[in-house]
Amino acid sequence: MAPIIKIIDGKTELAKRLATDFTSQLQQLIPSREYVTVALSGGSTPGLFFKAMVDMNPSLDWKKVLFFWVDERCVPANHAESNFGAAFRDLLKPLAIPESNYFRIRGEDAPEDEARRYAQLISNATGAGQGIPVLDFVFLGMGTDGHTASIFPHQIERWEAEGLCTVGNHPESGQQRVTFTGRLINAAARVIFHVTGKEKGEIARMIIKKNGNYAAYPASRVNPSNGELLWYLDAEAAGTWD
Ligand code: 6PG
């Protein structure tokens, strides 16, 4: 299935569009489901999306939405770099999401052990048994080097790692991170890239159009086997979209 590309001028307007679309999909899904599963991405880009969600403050039955994280830096939850910490501060707490509805990656624990624990947690929470969980929403960002989740170009083979979660290393700092693997990401019903800024535009366009050495970038391996792939791009990232 070809990716769906949404290009909105302005980071704030893009975030509002993403929040509006996400909310309307939740409104459609929640009534007919026992629960809806959402995996949040990390980094700085989601911040405006979280703000747009909080500003909208949609009246949703949040007790039926389960939140996970695509990846987490191996730091404690109160560390400035914690993806959970940012999401708790900017989304979960302001929207009063019940604590029973979010499942953080324990960045303070041994990474390999935590990757195994988190994979099992997701399997249990989704009732996937021995199968691969089909998450309803997986949000992704993309780095300026074309990484996504915490699968980096220098370790692109970890995209194919066995299991649902693995451990990656930031190429400069070496920081360890627990991350979804490609098999979990590509099993999702909806994978949503949220990418902004001129500095990411060339790689994003290469990946979407499969131009040049796009395959060198982990983000190019995102290809949901039975789900939708959407790119939310601001005009700067989209560039001259010919
Ligand atoms: C992380 C993310 C990572 C992020 C990209 C983009 O933990 O950092 O999961 O994949 O989405 O690095 O980060 P920015 O949004 O900060 O540019």
Side-chain angles (χ1 to χ4, degrees):
M1 187 189 302
I4 297 165
I5 316 294
K6 299 195 179 190
I7 300 170
I8 307 286
D9 192 10
K11 289 182 169 65
T12 302
E13 291 69 21
L14 178 69
K16 286 178 182 171
R17 173 63 182 274
L18 179 55
T20 303
D21 291 355
F22 177 52
T23 297
S24 62
Q25 286 178 326
L26 283 176
Q27 285 164 339
Q28 287 169 37
L29 279 173
I30 286 173
S32 63
R33 305 286 290 280
E34 185 186 355
Y35 52 78
V36 175
T37 52
V38 180
L40 298 173
S41 184
S44 58
T45 302
L48 285 175
F49 166 58
F50 294 161
K51 181 179 186 317
M53 287 297 295
V54 171
D55 290 348
M56 273 172 54
N57 192 19
S59 60
L60 291 166
D61 184 359
W62 288 114
K63 293 191 300 304
K64 294 180 75 175
V65 182
L66 305 181
F67 289 94
F68 305 90
W69 276 263
V70 170
D71 62 340
E72 183 57 276
R73 291 82 179 274
C74 292
V75 295
N78 62 359
H79 190 284
E81 291 186 27
S82 169
N83 290 334
F84 166 78
F88 178 77
R89 180 193 63 227
D90 297 339
L91 181 75
L92 303 176
K93 186 176 179 188
L95 289 182
I97 305 295
E99 190 174 351
S100 56
N101 283 67
Y102 50 85
F103 308 85
R104 73 180 180 95
I105 297 170
R106 294 175 54 84
E108 67 274 28
D109 288 353
E112 296 292 348
D113 293 345
E114 179 56 12
R116 279 188 290 275
R117 183 196 74 88
Y118 203 64
Q120 190 60 58
L121 179 150
I122 290 179
S123 283
N124 295 345
T126 56
Q130 295 306 311
I132 302 176
V134 177
L135 296 170
D136 292 299
F137 298 89
V138 170
F139 286 93
L140 295 176
M142 188 187 77
T144 52
D145 61 355
H147 82 260
T148 192
S150 282
I151 307 289
F152 295 90
H154 74 297
Q155 295 175 326
I156 194 167
E157 73 287 350
R158 295 193 184 181
W159 178 267
E160 315 298 340
E162 289 290 310
L164 306 175
C165 296
T166 190
V167 177
N169 299 84
H170 190 279
E172 274 95 50
S173 67
Q175 183 188 61
Q176 289 184 293
R177 300 182 173 189
V178 175
T179 180
F180 280 9
T181 56
R183 81 181 56 215
L184 180 53
I185 291 171
N186 282 336
R190 285 162 211 84
V191 182
I192 300 167
F193 270 113
H194 179 196
V195 177
T196 62
K198 194 187 312 291
E199 67 281 2
K200 298 179 181 181
E202 185 180 358
I203 290 179
R205 291 191 297 273
M206 280 174 69
I207 289 171
I208 292 168
K209 297 180 179 179
K210 296 189 181 341
N211 286 348
N213 67 332
Y214 73 94
Y217 304 114
S220 73
R221 301 207 174 174
V222 176
N223 182 23
S225 38
N226 295 306
E228 269 188 336
L229 174 58
L230 301 99
W231 286 80
Y232 282 76
L233 301 170
D234 69 347
E236 283 201 359
T240 52
W241 192 267
D242 43 36

